[in-house]
């Protein structure tokens, strides 16, 4: 069966970005000029996904407005002949998007369960908004290609520093099936470095069979007292094979302040409107910091 549907959980409170996220969806925070959620939607479309469900919550209305037409703005830009800007504004309309609200933040597993009637009895992908992926073939497409061959669930993973295992779902790999695909013994949510079975972390792209919903329905809260998708995947893996695919591209974690800043700089260095100014500015900044460090060293001597 062809994979046609994607689910983007976007109900999180965004506490890592307070106060910016007090009244604003963290998914609308822009990397240079594009809201992070637009990168995710673009990856879905580039992978061949047809229908997208965004699971939202409080303060998330701007996400719906962002992907809707803005007639006033469009006619204003048209009358001023600003065709480039008009193109940017129109790019985010006409996408088959659906919305459902998660009223209580009970965890990622619960957010995904809200997609049950949208997904029905089809395989689907889950795409988390905190991870922006760069690769020749979009990661979501790679998972969909895997499904075409295996008819099985596949979870994207990547090596992370050992001390960071408690931030992620971690897999206990069993065997390599091909260059980048593992069969998996266990999926463990946020283990401490002492308990982590490997350094291979789940990175926010999942291809799942619909059987996951029966499991999520009865899933007890796990790490952080939340209903964890990883725990449901661990159970699914007992009755159906669940593979892990190692991602070989670049992952930008925009889920915390430092990652967000780094990504903004890296994308800025590629952005046609700012790259020519940003690069010399960064060089200048580095020189100034070096000079300032040298002055401090001298004073401390
Ligand atoms: C979620 C998942 C975790 C995964 C991570 C990737 O955690 O529960 O398994 O490794 O996303 O970003 P969160 O970042 O929501 O705590």
């Amino acid at each position: 069966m062809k994979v046609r549907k994607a689910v983007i959980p976007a109900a999180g409170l965004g506490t890592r970005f307070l106060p910016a996220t007090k009244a604003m969806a963290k998914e609308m925070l822009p990397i240079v000029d594009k809201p992070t959620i637009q990168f995710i939607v673009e990856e879905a479309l580039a992978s061949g996904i047809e229908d997208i469900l965004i699971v939202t919550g409080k303060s998330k209305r701007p996400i719906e407005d962002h992907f809707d037409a803005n007639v006033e703005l469009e006619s204003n830009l048209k009358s001023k002949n600003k065709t480039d800007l008009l193109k940017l504004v129109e790019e985010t309309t006409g996408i088959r998007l659906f919305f459902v609200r998660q009223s209580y933040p009970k965890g990622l597993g619960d957010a995904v369960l809200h997609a049950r009637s949208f997904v029905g009895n089809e395989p689907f992908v889950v795409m988390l908004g905190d991870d922006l992926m760069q690769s020749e073939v979009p990661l979501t497409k790679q998972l969909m290609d895997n499904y075409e061959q295996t008819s099985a669930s596949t979870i994207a993973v990547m090596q992370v520093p050992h001390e960071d295992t408690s931030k992620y779902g971690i897999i206990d790999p069993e065997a390599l099936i091909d260059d980048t695909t593992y069969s998996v013994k266990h999926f463990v949510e946020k283990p401490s470095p002492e308990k982590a079975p490997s350094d291979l972390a789940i990175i926010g792209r999942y291809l799942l069979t619909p059987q996951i919903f029966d499991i999520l329905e009865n899933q007890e809260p796990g790490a952080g007292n939340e209903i964890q998708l990883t725990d449901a995947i661990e159970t699914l893996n007992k009755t159906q094979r669940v593979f892990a695919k190692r991602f070989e591209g670049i992952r930008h974690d925009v889920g915390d302040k430092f990652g967000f800043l780094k990504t903004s700089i890296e994308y800025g260095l590629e952005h046609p409107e700012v790259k020519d100014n940003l690069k010399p500015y960064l060089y200048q900044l580095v020189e100034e910091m070096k000079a300032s460090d040298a002055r401090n060293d001298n004073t401390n001597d």
Side-chain angles (χ1 to χ4, degrees), residues 107-140:
L108 178 59
D110 180 65
V112 172
L113 184 57
H114 277 67
R116 185 170 205 166
S117 59
F118 164 80
V119 168
N121 201 22
E122 297 182 27
F124 65 107
V125 293
V126 174
M127 307 173 74
L128 304 189
D130 285 347
D131 301 284
L132 306 188
M133 309 298 187
Q134 271 185 318
S135 53
E136 207 167 302
V137 177
L139 178 54
T140 296

Side-chain angles (χ1 to χ4, degrees), residues 19-36:
T21 47
K22 189 179 166 199
M24 187 175 73
K26 75 164 175 180
E27 294 77 10
M28 290 302 295
L29 293 174
I31 301 294
V32 189
D33 52 8
K34 194 185 281 189
T36 54

Side-chain angles (χ1 to χ4, degrees), residues 2-299:
K2 205 169 159 270
V3 182
R4 303 185 302 121
K5 294 178 179 173
V7 176
I8 305 178
L13 297 176
T15 47
R16 281 179 224 161
F17 289 96
L18 279 171
T21 47
K22 189 179 166 199
M24 187 175 73
K26 75 164 175 180
E27 294 77 10
M28 290 302 295
L29 293 174
I31 301 294
V32 189
D33 52 8
K34 194 185 281 189
T36 54
I37 195 160
Q38 193 178 330
F39 288 96
I40 310 292
V41 168
E42 286 176 358
E43 182 188 328
L45 298 177
S47 301
I49 290 292
E50 294 165 16
D51 291 350
I52 301 170
L53 176 77
I54 302 184
V55 185
T56 66
K58 208 171 173 306
S59 310
K60 305 291 180 162
R61 282 294 290 278
I63 301 178
E64 295 183 36
D65 291 340
H66 181 69
F67 290 103
D68 196 1
N70 184 335
V71 180
E72 207 180 326
L73 178 62
E74 285 164 34
S75 57
N76 181 294
L77 294 172
K78 241 177 244 167
S79 69
K80 291 184 179 141
N81 246 336
K82 298 195 168 164
T83 41
D84 287 354
L85 290 180
L86 184 63
K87 203 169 147 255
L88 286 181
V89 167
E90 286 177 341
E91 242 168 35
T92 47
T93 59
I95 304 165
R96 287 172 54 93
L97 277 176
F98 302 81
F99 296 90
V100 66
R101 267 190 179 229
Q102 182 193 27
S103 302
Y104 301 97
K106 288 201 261 177
L108 178 59
D110 180 65
V112 172
L113 184 57
H114 277 67
R116 185 170 205 166
S117 59
F118 164 80
V119 168
N121 201 22
E122 297 182 27
F124 65 107
V125 293
V126 174
M127 307 173 74
L128 304 189
D130 285 347
D131 301 284
L132 306 188
M133 309 298 187
Q134 271 185 318
S135 53
E136 207 167 302
V137 177
L139 178 54
T140 296
K141 172 86 167 57
Q142 293 180 29
L143 299 182
M144 289 160 69
D145 290 345
N146 248 43
Y147 183 82
E148 301 243 309
Q149 287 170 14
T150 61
S151 298
S153 300
T154 305
I155 316 300
V157 296
M158 203 169 192
Q159 182 129 19
V160 295
H162 188 66
E163 62 271 22
D164 285 349
T165 56
S166 59
K167 294 184 192 160
Y168 298 95
I170 300 288
I171 66 158
D172 185 357
E174 189 171 47
L176 259 182
I177 309 285
D178 62 35
D179 285 355
T180 56
T181 312
Y182 299 88
S183 59
V184 179
K185 273 189 276 184
H186 293 292
F187 295 84
V188 193
E189 181 66 9
K190 305 206 166 81
S192 63
E194 299 77 50
K195 294 205 173 128
S198 79
D199 296 341
L200 288 170
I202 297 172
I203 52 163
R205 298 292 183 277
Y206 310 73
L207 196 149
L208 295 166
T209 57
Q211 283 71 34
I212 196 77
F213 293 119
D214 290 336
I215 300 168
L216 282 172
E217 194 95 65
N218 301 304
Q219 186 64 53
E220 294 292 328
N225 203 24
E226 292 188 347
I227 297 173
Q228 296 291 354
L229 182 58
T230 305
D231 294 345
I233 293 170
E234 166 74 357
T235 306
L236 183 67
N237 192 33
K238 296 196 170 109
T239 51
Q240 286 184 352
R241 312 171 287 171
V242 180
F243 295 112
K245 181 165 181 68
R246 205 177 62 233
F247 179 49
E248 309 253 271
I250 301 169
R251 165 178 170 258
H252 299 277
D253 179 1
V254 296
D256 68 27
K257 292 184 189 96
F258 184 51
F260 189 88
L261 268 178
K262 277 198 294 187
T263 310
S264 300
I265 293 169
E266 283 161 29
Y267 279 54
L269 286 168
E270 303 282 324
H271 192 290
E273 277 170 53
V274 291
K275 65 178 181 188
D276 292 343
N277 289 331
L278 183 58
K279 200 170 170 185
Y281 168 70
L282 289 176
Y283 277 129
Q284 184 197 331
L285 200 60
V286 169
E287 288 310 316
E288 283 171 14
M289 284 191 298
K290 278 186 190 159
S292 155
D293 285 352
R295 275 197 304 276
N296 286 341
D297 282 352
N298 285 340
T299 345

